[in-house]
Amino acid sequence: MRERACRQVKMRAGGVALLLPLFLFFVCGFFVPAFAQTKTTPGDPLQTFLQAYVQQAGLPGAVVGITYADGSSRFAAAGLSSAKPNRKMRGAERFYIGSLTKMMTSVVILQLASEQRLKLSDHPARWLSPEYAQSIANAKTATITDLLHNSSGIPDYLDGDFFFELVGREPQHGWRNAELLPLIADRDAVFSPGSEYANSNSNYIMLGYIIEQVEQAAIEDVFEKRIFAPLEMDATSFGSFPRDDAIARGYDDGDGDGNLEDVTGFDVGDHLADGGVVSSARDMLAFLRGLFANGALLGPKAIERMTTDTRFAGNGAYGYGVMVGESDWGPVWGHDGTYFGYSSEISWFPEQKTGVVFLTNGRPLNDVPPFTQQLLPALFGNPFQ
């Protein structure tokens, strides 16, 4: 059996090892690396692999990008970016990236810390009005590090249906980080700061609010200045209305009938620091390289702290806005994300200096392993030979 060769990074809570589908053995030549650095052709195995995954998962469409140690990249697209009107997926398509945004938020926080404009030991209450400093649980005792770690004990504003009821009433509102503070306030702490790990989007809403207070600027302007412009991520921004035609239409089972509906018109966080960024596969590979390969965003000490100062999180660990895990090919750093109608994965393999981004305009209707989990044997070969 080859279960171990199919096991993805252990950075997902509850992640399990699953066998790759049989087509992989044919496409990938019995675990000989099929996605080594080669020019994409009409018969490209990466395209074949992606198309099979999209069909198996029941996704509308997807784009995958891979960047290699020498800085070169390759891409593949499959399925549809729009069902009505019918439009094929393109490699340059833009998607909501969901919680991949948290990696960017953590980068800006670490940049501000390096500039001594804040300390990671600061308490969130420092930037809050007296009302919220008092009413948000643990605001006076948790630290910025606890927010980065998802270990603050501050309750998640997405728990329950209240936020989504607001979205239903005002689907194009354009929610701001500051507007969500009332949804976080007046709720009991989940645990004492630093004592446990629990994913809470409230942590990154508060980090985004702190960034805006320190910079005295909107979050989209800060990210543009500090991340998007320096890395020439020209296809990346926060969401906005009217929707850009270059954004893939997002599909989700919004009414629970088992079918995917177009939900692109719903704003569930266009300007929020926990998941509001829109990007392309090419730009997200530029982000990976700028963060982990060439030092354009953070210095080596900050990267080391970001990926080694971690908290236990399910089958892996969580650093500063980054999931930290192990694969059969070595360490892996990254994140996964969802936004209403979209899902995403991003992974960096520091030993191979290789990055993978997977963006899709839906969530799987069928139970399938994450895309990157299935890709690794084809990308790196059999680790047991």
Side-chain angles (χ1 to χ4, degrees), residues 148-165:
L148 291 167
H149 275 154
N150 273 323
S151 64
S152 71
I154 296 172
D156 193 343
Y157 77 93
L158 290 179
D159 285 347
D161 296 327
F162 187 60
F163 176 70
F164 295 104
E165 290 172 358

Side-chain angles (χ1 to χ4, degrees), residues 319-333:
Y320 294 177
V322 61
M323 296 175 178
V324 177
E326 286 289 330
S327 75
D328 289 318
W329 295 266
V332 59
W333 308 330

Side-chain angles (χ1 to χ4, degrees), residues 281-318:
R282 184 176 300 277
D283 276 12
M284 290 308 295
L285 292 185
F287 174 70
L288 274 179
R289 298 201 64 82
L291 179 56
F292 295 129
N294 58 33
L297 296 178
L298 295 174
K301 289 185 178 179
I303 294 298
E304 180 180 9
R305 189 167 183 181
M306 184 184 199
T307 57
T308 60
D309 181 7
T310 61
R311 293 292 181 272
F312 175 75
N315 287 334
Y318 201 84

Side-chain angles (χ1 to χ4, degrees), residues 159-348:
D159 285 347
D161 296 327
F162 187 60
F163 176 70
F164 295 104
E165 290 172 358
L166 293 178
V167 170
R169 292 199 293 267
E170 298 183 72
Q172 298 186 10
H173 176 83
W175 301 98
R176 291 283 175 179
N177 294 301
E179 291 182 289
L180 267 61
L181 296 181
L183 304 188
I184 304 171
D186 300 317
R187 301 172 63 181
D188 293 335
V190 181
F191 49 75
S192 299
S195 63
E196 300 180 37
Y197 167 91
N199 180 51
S200 173
N201 292 280
S202 298
N203 292 312
Y204 281 81
I205 293 298
M206 295 186 69
L207 288 169
Y209 179 78
I210 290 169
I211 289 169
E212 291 179 309
Q213 294 301 301
V214 173
E215 289 277 67
Q216 287 296 291
I219 194 76
E220 58 265 37
D221 295 331
V222 177
F223 277 38
E224 175 67 26
K225 178 182 71 174
R226 289 182 170 271
I227 299 176
F228 305 156
L231 298 182
E232 298 182 348
M233 296 171 64
D234 298 332
T236 305
S237 66
F238 277 82
S240 62
F241 285 102
R243 296 294 193 226
D244 188 334
D245 289 340
I247 295 179
R249 305 295 297 181
Y251 296 89
D252 216 312
D253 183 10
D255 56 13
D257 66 355
N259 298 309
L260 296 178
E261 297 90 32
D262 189 330
V263 296
T264 316
F266 288 87
D267 164 25
V268 297
D270 274 8
H271 303 288
L272 300 181
D274 64 336
V277 168
V278 178
S279 191
S280 67
R282 184 176 300 277
D283 276 12
M284 290 308 295
L285 292 185
F287 174 70
L288 274 179
R289 298 201 64 82
L291 179 56
F292 295 129
N294 58 33
L297 296 178
L298 295 174
K301 289 185 178 179
I303 294 298
E304 180 180 9
R305 189 167 183 181
M306 184 184 199
T307 57
T308 60
D309 181 7
T310 61
R311 293 292 181 272
F312 175 75
N315 287 334
Y318 201 84
Y320 294 177
V322 61
M323 296 175 178
V324 177
E326 286 289 330
S327 75
D328 289 318
W329 295 266
V332 59
W333 308 330
H335 219 292
D336 55 14
T338 58
Y339 190 94
F340 198 31
Y342 302 86
S343 53
S344 54
E345 303 169 28
I346 193 169
S347 302
W348 177 257

